[in-house]
Amino acid sequence: SVAAKMPNELIQFAMDNNSLVKYDQKGIASNLGNYSSGKILKINDADKNPYLIIQSQNELHFVNNQGISFGNIRIPFNEIEDVFIQNLNSGVSKVAIIDGIENNVYLYRTTGEKINNSTFEGQTKVTISASDDKTIVTTIVDQFIVQYYLN
């Protein structure tokens, strides 16, 4: 299970029998949906509205703290080393995913569309940032930080 902080509240999320369950401070459980063989990969609670990244076999689901989906991606592998979402002001979100077996970084939109047909070498962590009109993918390769600049 993973915890998330919200303004004036601490909540807990867990997978229980393929169901995503949210526990509030009083211990009240709410079922937020079913995900076959689901596991919570990451929770982002940096802003006021935490969201979760859930892996269900070869699919990633992006779910807000109320259980409402804001995207999913079908991926050609199921060993995920790291996932990062870059939320853009335009409402479009970019997602970087590291294949844990092949050590490649793939870029997608939360709508499931692959952004770039090429892959980038990456091993343990990945982030996406923007500079001017370029997208920067930062990752680690053989203990070195590597950045890829994309138009």
Side-chain angles (χ1 to χ4, degrees), residues 7-52:
N8 304 319
E9 189 176 12
L10 181 64
I11 51 179
Q12 191 85 15
F13 295 94
M15 294 301 300
D16 185 22
N17 292 326
N18 294 326
S19 293
L20 175 63
V21 181
K22 173 183 167 183
Y23 298 94
D24 67 13
Q25 292 180 145
K26 296 175 184 164
I28 298 171
S30 305
N31 185 338
L32 300 182
N34 294 316
Y35 300 92
S36 177
S37 302
K39 63 180 176 181
I40 300 170
L41 294 182
K42 192 177 268 192
I43 185 163
N44 181 337
D45 63 354
D47 58 10
K48 290 181 172 62
N49 297 306
Y51 61 83
L52 298 122

Side-chain angles (χ1 to χ4, degrees), residues 64-118:
N64 72 10
N65 62 22
Q66 301 300 313
I68 299 169
S69 173
F70 62 91
N72 72 316
I73 299 171
R74 182 173 296 280
I75 52 176
F77 51 90
N78 61 16
E79 287 295 323
I80 296 173
E81 184 66 31
D82 193 28
V83 180
F84 182 86
I85 298 179
Q86 178 195 30
N87 294 314
L88 303 173
N89 293 334
S90 64
V92 177
S93 296
K94 293 179 181 176
V95 181
I97 307 165
I98 297 180
D99 177 340
I101 293 177
E102 302 218 355
N103 292 329
N104 287 323
V105 177
Y106 296 86
L107 297 177
Y108 290 89
R109 290 187 173 79
T110 52
T111 56
E113 174 190 356
K114 200 169 185 182
I115 292 175
N116 193 320
N117 282 330
S118 59

Side-chain angles (χ1 to χ4, degrees), residues 3 43 59 133 138:
I43 185 163
E59 277 193 85
D133 59 347
T138 305

Side-chain angles (χ1 to χ4, degrees), residues 81-82 98-100 103-105 120-125 139-144:
E81 184 66 31
D82 193 28
I98 297 180
D99 177 340
N103 292 329
N104 287 323
V105 177
F120 310 97
E121 192 176 356
Q123 291 173 335
T124 54
K125 295 286 180 196
T139 186
I140 298 173
V141 178
D142 295 328
Q143 300 177 359
F144 293 98

